[in-house]
Amino acid sequence: MRLLVLGAGGTGGYFGGRLAQAGVDVSFLVRPARATLLRERGLRIRSPLGDADVPAQVITADELRAAAPFELVLLSCKAYDLDSAMDAIAPTVEAGARVLPLLNGLRHYEALDARFGFANVLGGLCFISATLGADGEILHLGKPASVTFGERDGQPADVRLQSLAAACTQAGIDHVHTPDIAQAQWVKYSFLTALAAGTCLMRAPIGTIVAGEGGADFMAALHGECLAVAAATGQSIPDAAQASARDTLTTAGSPMKASMLRDLEAGQRVEAAHIVGDMVHRAATHGIATPHLQAAWVHLQAYEAQRPA
């Protein structure tokens, strides 16, 4: 299987780099400046799971139409870059590739389906905290690094997903090939929204929030609002997953914070509308009150309005 990874940032660079390290045929679709850097230095991963320096096959948008066909596109851009990302990968999808998005949240599926068709868009998610370092290296910030994927209509997986699962095994990547990707997506989405809303609103990691009076209750209430939305959409979160998420969101001394908070602290754009805002809007559709999420959503909108262009 030939795999095209859009970009070589924290998420795409890590998973694509691990696959390339294991000998999988991976190419990275990147901008010219990033292509030059990767051709000169290779893809460098710095991780508690092991460092790697991998020769990178890179391709730019101008070169893509003339390239040999790819079977699968790994899409891991930020939500606010989705339109340009779809433009970039369009030639590959038109040539027969399917798209596996690893974006946070769920709102991107509507746009992807409209552009490429439901049948060409797979379901996926990942758990990883990674970013680019000052010299363009991939900095994996914690041990979790897993990917989950599957067909969105419950049909038997095609050979491409079977090949991806085999490639992940070969690369030592923690992965789940699931027949119920929607359930897995809502488990993550409900947890991530509570994490992002709480840590961004309070501008603090979990441990600092829950150390204050009412902090743990506040985080639990955020999660409860997300769970109510999941249930209203027909994707009730299993008890074990609820308990695990709740423990993580209320752990004393935890340094955990959402990647959205790191972006906010750096003065960068944030995926507020795609994650917290979308959950608030889904709740409103079902008549569910979300006062805690609403406070975080207003806060994030104010941040975006004041952020220098």
Side-chain angles (χ1 to χ4, degrees), residues 172-188:
I173 296 173
D174 185 14
H175 66 282
V176 177
H177 182 188
T178 177
D180 190 0
I181 189 64
Q183 176 77 98
Q185 287 171 324
W186 270 99
V187 168
K188 178 183 177 180

Side-chain angles (χ1 to χ4, degrees), residues 3 14 29 65 77 84-85 98 122 154 162 189 194 205 303:
L3 175 66
Y14 181 85
L29 176 59
R65 286 193 180 276
C77 64
S84 60
R98 298 184 78 189
L122 298 158
Q162 296 170 15
Y189 182 38
Y303 164 77

Side-chain angles (χ1 to χ4, degrees), residues 232-279:
T233 63
Q235 291 293 339
S236 295
I237 307 303
D239 290 345
Q242 288 189 36
S244 177
R246 191 67 57 88
D247 286 347
T248 302
L249 290 167
T250 57
T251 298
S254 171
M256 178 178 285
K257 61 173 71 172
S259 60
M260 190 186 296
L261 176 56
R262 286 195 295 273
D263 291 341
L264 187 152
E265 291 170 332
Q268 299 173 357
R269 293 183 69 181
V270 294
E271 296 179 304
H274 195 74
I275 300 173
V276 180
D278 189 42
M279 187 70 82

Side-chain angles (χ1 to χ4, degrees), residues 75-100:
L75 186 64
S76 59
C77 64
K78 292 289 189 179
Y80 46 74
D81 289 329
L82 182 59
D83 288 343
S84 60
M86 290 191 295
D87 289 342
I89 67 172
T92 300
V93 182
E94 292 165 3
R98 298 184 78 189
V99 183
L100 177 59

Side-chain angles (χ1 to χ4, degrees), residues 65-132:
R65 286 193 180 276
F70 293 91
E71 284 75 47
L72 192 63
V73 181
L74 194 67
L75 186 64
S76 59
C77 64
K78 292 289 189 179
Y80 46 74
D81 289 329
L82 182 59
D83 288 343
S84 60
M86 290 191 295
D87 289 342
I89 67 172
T92 300
V93 182
E94 292 165 3
R98 298 184 78 189
V99 183
L100 177 59
L102 297 181
L103 286 72
N104 290 321
L106 296 172
R107 200 172 76 165
H108 51 281
Y109 284 102
E110 181 178 354
L112 287 166
D113 290 348
R115 180 69 180 269
F116 300 126
F118 181 93
N120 291 320
V121 182
L122 298 158
L125 62 94
C126 66
F127 285 98
I128 189 170
S129 179
T131 189
L132 282 183

